[in-house]
Amino acid sequence: MSTTTAPHAPHAPRAPRALSAARTTATAARVLRQLRHDPRTIALMLLVPCVMLLLLRYVFDGSPRTFDNIGASLLGIFPLITMFLVTSIATLRERTSGTLERLLAMPLGKGDLIAGYALAFGALATVQSALATGLAVWFLGLDVTGSPWLLLLVALLDALLGTALGLFVSAFAASEFQAVQFMPAVIFPQLLLCGLFTPRSDMHPVLEAVSDVLPMSYAVDAMNEVLRHTDVTTTFVRDALIVAGCALLVLGLGAATLRRRTA
């Protein structure tokens, strides 16, 4: 007497690991290939900070010390702003076009996606920060006491923070216009409270307390440390670690917003 057994139900596809180097680099390569066909976006990321620094230098042509005082701070702020704008709009475009939905249906982890986007935009941020730092220090005569390489490091961290913020806020916008509208809500308060216009210690105590939890404040503080000290100070290390930690935290929050959407 023979017996038959019911066929086993097919196993559900195993969830991918949280992070894979191969999947991350493949995602980054795809994003870079897409950006290669968008020269206006590349120009916005790479050239606008340089143009702004050039304009600022000759706005203060009669008082070069003023450029020295605020140029280092803006060297970190400009990359953050441009990377925020470009990343939020580019990522939103992929969300609304259904690209992210299709990718999430594949054996691809959220960590792979977010790390791939961060790697691709981070590569462009490296080029952007190097161009802006080189222009400011070696062509516009920005006078810094410390190493220009430290300026480059902070500018890169700021650009990565802008990338992370852009990835995060893209989840809450339904159109590119709405993505741009997040700039006054996310960037402008930090710009006003970071200590660029007046020392944070001179602000109202409530505003000073708010500025203490905003990452741009520590980016400006780190730039000022390089501007004034020849050696790497403990304050600089603390500020740089805070900016890097904020970028990683926001990237984690951005990964949490990646989910499939149904029409």
Side-chain angles (χ1 to χ4, degrees), residues 33-82:
R33 284 195 300 270
Q34 290 179 329
L35 287 173
R36 186 180 61 185
H37 300 293
D38 191 354
R40 287 178 297 181
T41 297
I42 295 176
L44 175 64
M45 284 189 286
L46 300 185
L47 299 181
V48 166
C50 294
V51 172
M52 293 296 100
L53 285 169
L54 183 65
L55 178 64
L56 184 71
R57 168 63 182 85
Y58 291 104
V59 165
F60 295 111
D61 190 45
S63 54
R65 291 304 305 170
T66 303
F67 176 71
D68 290 337
N69 290 333
I70 68 173
S73 299
L74 292 176
L75 186 59
I77 291 174
F78 286 157
L80 190 155
I81 293 174
T82 55

Side-chain angles (χ1 to χ4, degrees), residues 50-262:
C50 294
V51 172
M52 293 296 100
L53 285 169
L54 183 65
L55 178 64
L56 184 71
R57 168 63 182 85
Y58 291 104
V59 165
F60 295 111
D61 190 45
S63 54
R65 291 304 305 170
T66 303
F67 176 71
D68 290 337
N69 290 333
I70 68 173
S73 299
L74 292 176
L75 186 59
I77 291 174
F78 286 157
L80 190 155
I81 293 174
T82 55
M83 292 305 295
F84 172 83
L85 281 173
V86 171
T87 307
S88 60
I89 292 174
T91 309
L92 175 67
R93 193 176 300 165
E94 295 217 328
R95 289 178 185 269
T96 55
S97 67
T99 302
L100 285 180
E101 175 114 6
R102 292 191 295 271
L103 289 173
L104 288 173
M106 300 168 60
L108 190 68
K110 291 182 178 181
D112 299 316
L113 272 175
I114 206 73
Y117 278 88
L119 181 61
F121 286 109
L124 290 171
T126 302
V127 178
Q128 178 201 68
S129 301
L131 288 174
T133 303
L135 175 70
V137 174
W138 287 295
F139 289 93
L140 300 182
L142 180 66
D143 186 16
V144 293
T145 303
S147 170
W149 295 105
L150 295 179
L151 287 182
L152 175 60
L153 172 62
V154 180
L156 178 57
L157 290 175
D158 291 343
L160 292 175
L161 176 62
T163 297
L165 289 170
L167 288 169
F168 177 62
V169 303
S170 68
F172 305 99
S175 66
E176 294 180 13
F177 178 68
Q178 288 185 7
V180 174
Q181 286 180 311
F182 273 103
M183 187 173 173
V186 176
I187 300 297
F188 285 0
Q190 297 192 66
L191 186 62
L192 292 174
L193 299 178
C194 69
L196 177 65
F197 301 104
T198 186
R200 293 192 289 132
S201 58
D202 294 343
M203 297 178 186
H204 188 280
V206 173
L207 295 181
E208 183 182 2
V210 173
S211 73
D212 287 341
V213 299
L214 298 177
M216 192 183 290
S217 300
Y218 297 95
V220 170
D221 288 349
M223 287 295 193
N224 288 333
E225 287 294 305
V226 180
L227 191 67
R228 297 165 184 162
H229 301 280
T230 56
D231 299 323
V232 178
T233 64
T234 55
T235 302
F236 172 85
V237 174
R238 181 206 65 184
D239 294 338
L241 288 176
I242 289 175
V243 175
C246 289
L248 291 175
L249 174 62
V250 177
L251 282 176
L253 293 174
T257 67
L258 289 177
R259 60 187 181 276
R260 293 193 61 185
R261 293 180 177 180
T262 55

